[in-house]
Each structure stands twice: as C-alpha cells, then as structure tokens.
Amino acid sequence: MPRKPFVPGAAVVVAAALAAGLTGCTGSSSPDSDAGDAKSGGAATSSPAAEPGRYQTLPEACGLPSRGVIRRMLPGDDQALSGTEAQKVYGGQADITYDTDRRVGCRWTRETTAGTRHLGLDIQRVVSYDSAVSDDDKAQATYDKKELAAQIPSGGAGSPSPAAPSPSASKSKEKGEGVVTNDATDKGVADKNATGKSSAGAKGKAPSGSPSQKSDPSADPSTDPSGSTAPRVLDDLADAAFLNDKLVTADSGVHRDVTVVFRTSNVIVKITYDQWSTDKTMLPDSQELQDKARSLATELSDSLSE
C-alpha cells in the first residue's frame, strides 16, 4: 500500500495545540490557588463563635432549696411529722427528664386543714446551636417568650400595660374552673371581700371564724396602690425576672397561683407556688405567698451564682 505523505505543517499544528493545552491547565490552577488563599484568609478574618453559657450542667433540683425554706413554704398547722413523713413532704418528688444536663425539676405538696400547698421547681439550661448567637442571648429570647405569654405589665411595677387585654375576661377551660384572674374580680369573691356576703346566689353569711377579707389589700393585686403584689417585672433578681399572681375560683374551692421566673446566664428557673382552699371565703394571702416564693428565688439565684 502507498504510504500517506508526511505533512510537516500538521505536526506544527499538533504541537501548538498541545502547548496551548498545557498553558491552559497551568493557568486554570491559578484561580483555584487564589480561591484557596481567599478562603483561608476569610476563615482567619471571620467573626469568632459566640460565647458559651456559664452553665454546662445542672444541679439536682430536689436538693437545691434549703430544708428551712421548704418548711416555711409548706406550713403544717403545728402538726408534728415523723421522720418518714418529713422526708416524704420536704424531700420532694423529682421530675422525670430525659437529659438532666438540660432540664431538671422537683415537686413538693402538703395538705393541712387550712388547705393544700404545692411547690414546683423547674430548671432549664438553654444551649444555642447557632454559632452567631450566644447561649445567654438564646436564653434571654426564651425568657422573653415566657414573660410575654404571662402578659406581665410593661409599664413598671404595678402599672398595667395599655395594650394588654384584661386578664379578668379570660376563662379557664380545664377541670371546670371558673374565672381566672390576676385580681380576684370574680363577682361572688369580690362581694365577699367587700361585705362578707355573696351576691352571686349564696345564702347567709360567711362561716363563723372565717377571716374577714375587708382589710386584706392583697386579695386584689391589680388594685394594690403600691404595686407591691401586682404581677410585675422584678428588677432586683438575677439577670431578668418577673412575678405573676393569679386567683382562680372553681366549684371545688379557690386557689392562688404565684409564679416567679428568672434567668441567670443560660439557665432559666421557674418557681410555681399555690395554695388551695375549699372555703371560698378564705382567700389565700397574696403577700405571704409572693414573699415566700421570692425568698426561694433569691436563694436559688445566689446558689446558682456561686
């Protein structure tokens, strides 16, 4: 077979193409290198991760309050308790949680002739998984939601918020409870406070021996002129705190629920303290319950800060 003629020009074209290809490969590596340098420099100059919270673990909830404070919050009408009974009442019942480094709680209860008192403690450690948001900021956002949900007045201690709906208009749909208020505005209760009689259909006077509520200013926190018992922000407790006070009337009796919530760094503590009475003429004292709840909150805040 005849051989194909050799064309020198073709070899030159192929060589030039190969050279161009090699040059292209060499040039394309430069942007990658520049990008790598830019990425490295960007990482070095980026903002540092937000600071973690002060608390990485949580204490055992039932053992955190002192025994003396628990005794004062659960009075027993001078009823003596055996060692076993005292341990059951004052030792508390721990909440069941799945991660004790993130949430713990405890509950105490004592029944007396004057009614039943319940004390609850819930401690939550907040962790932010956003590197741009600190644990403390995340905890503050969580706290703010709780304060908003409780409709705490924002106009200062005892000052109602103009935009907030009247709590006395709300109804409790659980367990057949009646009006849930911050101020004992239930018609029957209000009349009893003023006259010792009920204009809501009850007959006769209050049972003999029942304490008169005429001189009890704490029966209606919303009308307390000093604002000392009204739901309010607590400026002197931890990093942020608020107190709520609700009087609830039901067919079975009446109970007052006092709640104190405070934040210290990335931990949020909630204290719930209530007193139940089957005698609707004996309203639980707001000032007493609030003072004891705040005393416990102060002790817990100091203990967590140590």
Side-chain angles (χ1 to χ4, degrees):
M1 294 178 62
R3 297 182 178 180
K4 293 183 180 181
F6 175 76
V7 181
V12 173
V13 172
V14 172
L18 290 174
L22 292 174
T23 302
C25 291
T26 303
S28 63
S29 64
S30 178
D32 291 343
S33 178
D34 292 342
D37 293 342
K39 182 177 180 181
S40 175
T45 59
S46 63
S47 300
E51 289 292 330
R54 174 179 180 179
Y55 303 98
Q56 302 301 312
T57 60
L58 290 175
E60 194 276 314
C62 293
L64 190 59
S66 66
R67 181 62 63 92
V69 169
I70 297 299
R71 286 179 179 274
R72 288 192 294 272
M73 298 184 78
L74 303 175
D77 296 337
D78 297 325
Q79 298 175 358
L81 296 176
S82 66
T84 302
E85 291 173 334
Q87 178 58 35
K88 181 178 180 180
V89 172
Y90 302 127
Q93 179 66 43
D95 291 346
I96 298 175
T97 58
Y98 296 100
D99 187 351
T100 55
D101 282 337
R102 291 296 300 275
R103 194 161 207 151
V104 293
C106 192
R107 299 290 179 268
W108 295 263
T109 301
R110 186 166 191 184
E111 298 180 3
T112 68
T113 56
T116 301
R117 295 202 185 193
H118 303 88
L119 172 63
L121 176 60
D122 179 86
I123 308 175
Q124 176 186 4
R125 184 174 69 90
V126 179
V127 178
S128 172
Y129 294 100
D130 185 346
S131 60
V133 179
S134 69
D135 290 348
D136 283 20
D137 289 343
K138 179 69 173 179
Q140 181 63 42
T142 303
Y143 166 87
D144 289 341
K145 291 179 180 179
K146 294 180 182 294
E147 184 178 314
L148 181 63
Q151 297 183 338
I152 301 301
S154 58
S159 302
S161 173
S166 173
S168 62
S170 63
K171 296 281 185 176
S172 173
K173 297 181 180 180
E174 299 180 0
K175 301 180 181 179
E177 291 182 347
V179 177
V180 182
T181 73
N182 283 339
D183 54 10
T185 54
D186 175 77
K187 178 64 177 176
V189 173
D191 287 346
K192 288 174 187 175
N193 290 344
T195 65
K197 300 179 181 179
S198 170
S199 62
K203 297 181 180 180
K205 299 182 179 180
S208 176
S210 298
S212 172
Q213 300 297 325
K214 291 182 181 180
S215 61
D216 182 8
S218 67
D220 186 350
S222 69
T223 59
D224 177 10
S226 67
S228 62
T229 60
R232 61 199 182 278
V233 171
L234 302 175
D235 296 325
D236 57 347
L237 177 62
D239 295 325
F242 70 83
L243 179 147
N244 202 9
D245 186 330
K246 292 184 178 181
L247 183 70
V248 183
T249 58
D251 293 338
S252 58
V254 60
H255 62 93
R256 184 178 293 281
D257 304 333
V258 172
T259 304
V260 176
V261 177
F262 70 86
R263 177 186 75 83
T264 175
S265 185
N266 61 318
V267 164
I268 297 177
V269 178
K270 180 179 180 181
I271 297 170
T272 54
Y273 185 39
D274 62 67
Q275 180 178 352
W276 290 67
S277 175
T278 56
D279 186 350
K280 294 183 181 180
T281 66
M282 297 181 64
L283 300 181
D285 183 73
S286 180
Q287 189 69 63
E288 180 210 353
L289 296 181
Q290 288 193 23
D291 287 348
K292 290 182 176 180
R294 290 196 62 180
S295 177
L296 174 58
T298 299
E299 177 184 290
L300 297 181
S301 177
D302 292 344
S303 178
L304 289 170
S305 298
E306 291 178 352

